[in-house]
Amino acid sequence: MNYLIVVAHPDDEVLGAGATIRKLTEEGHRVDICIMSSEAKARAFRPNDSELNDDLNASADILGIQRRYEGEFPNIEMNTEPHLLLVQFIEKAISESHPDVVITHHPSDTNNDHLHTSMACQAAIRLFQRRAEMKPLSELWFMEVLSSTEWAVNSAMNRFCPNTFVEVGKERVDIKIRALSQYRGVMRPYPHPRSEEALMGLAAYRGAQAGCNYAEAFECVFRRVV
């Protein structure tokens, strides 16, 4: 199967689905990522763009990610871009990647770029209804990104509610942490949510929640069965 991970920023793919990506690629599935903002502006410790690209490449190699679609939308300013341009960028990635499953941010994430990426992705996945030659999408999943998804303080929006759990084992969580560590300035000491302890603790909790040996959790919001 083909999977496309659509994220706002480099490192979101690891935070939300790193261990799952590693499991999928180990099993022979294809995983591509679509990154809306690949620029380093406004990132902590401010690596330059070439350093951030090096970090992305190193992390992707660890996880087994194949193709990367990198946009140039402004970091933390995605709300200033026309919605149509965001949708069209994701549609181009979909048309080239031919995914069976798309995974993206939950729309109630507190990070504004995550919200706009999620909304654009929800529009883009309908591409197969408009173009007969496109392979129909099978599933759309929302993922949880620590330091953003848990900060769903807007009670008017539905919060992340997982219904799909991928057993990954402790070894793949270790690999996830190693892949995330390739991004300079992203990891923090405990009790920050982007600490090794928090990432491992969330995987242990999600595993216990679903009766799995460590897991990453997702919310499947579209499933097409034929």
Side-chain angles (χ1 to χ4, degrees):
M1 294 180 65
N2 294 346
Y3 291 77
L4 179 65
I5 319 296
V6 180
V7 296
H9 316 105
D11 74 24
D12 289 335
E13 77 286 353
V14 188
L15 282 162
T20 297
I21 293 171
R22 175 69 182 210
K23 178 175 183 175
L24 292 172
T25 58
E26 285 178 1
E27 293 175 348
H29 301 286
R30 179 185 178 95
V31 179
D32 297 333
I33 57 172
C34 174
I35 301 171
M36 305 301 288
S37 177
S38 57
E39 66 176 16
K41 176 186 175 184
R43 293 180 71 91
F45 301 106
R46 295 188 179 275
N48 63 44
D49 288 344
S50 63
E51 289 175 332
L52 181 58
N53 189 64
D54 290 343
D55 297 349
L56 168 61
N57 290 336
S59 178
D61 287 345
I62 289 172
L63 298 181
I65 290 168
Q66 296 196 29
R67 186 160 184 177
R68 298 183 281 281
Y69 305 90
E70 299 181 44
E72 297 180 351
F73 297 101
N75 186 24
I76 315 299
E77 297 177 352
M78 216 171 292
N79 59 300
T80 65
E81 294 291 307
H83 175 71
L84 178 61
L85 294 182
L86 303 177
V87 173
Q88 289 175 334
F89 181 76
I90 299 172
E91 286 180 337
K92 186 175 186 297
I94 290 174
S95 67
E96 295 180 10
S97 181
H98 302 289
D100 300 287
V101 179
V102 171
I103 303 174
T104 192
H105 297 285
H106 193 278
S108 72
D109 278 13
T110 193
N111 186 296
N112 194 54
D113 284 356
H114 292 194
L115 164 64
H116 287 278
T117 297
S118 181
M119 298 305 293
C121 191
Q122 292 173 57
I125 63 163
R126 301 176 301 168
L127 186 60
F128 72 90
Q129 292 182 324
R130 301 193 297 277
R131 290 172 49 182
E133 75 277 10
M134 289 297 303
K135 180 174 70 173
L137 186 73
S138 295
E139 298 184 15
L140 173 66
W141 300 0
F142 292 147
M143 62 184 183
E144 59 178 339
V145 176
L146 273 183
S147 75
S148 181
T149 308
E150 78 274 20
W151 278 93
V153 295
N154 183 352
S155 60
M157 299 182 71
N158 292 327
R159 297 186 177 188
F160 177 76
C161 185
N163 56 22
T164 300
F165 298 83
V166 178
E167 185 171 26
V168 294
K170 183 178 183 299
E171 298 79 8
R172 293 193 188 96
V173 183
D174 287 332
I175 293 172
K176 169 179 179 166
I177 292 169
R178 180 159 61 92
L180 187 62
S181 298
Q182 303 307 304
Y183 287 104
R184 62 201 79 193
V186 169
M187 298 291 289
R188 296 282 197 279
Y190 183 78
H192 194 279
R194 292 199 306 268
S195 64
E196 181 174 342
E197 295 88 344
L199 293 167
M200 188 65 72
L202 177 63
Y205 169 69
R206 291 305 190 194
Q209 186 179 12
C212 297
N213 179 23
Y214 293 85
E216 286 182 324
F218 303 89
E219 185 175 348
C220 180
V221 292
F222 172 83
R223 176 173 289 129
R224 182 177 182 271
V225 180
V226 295

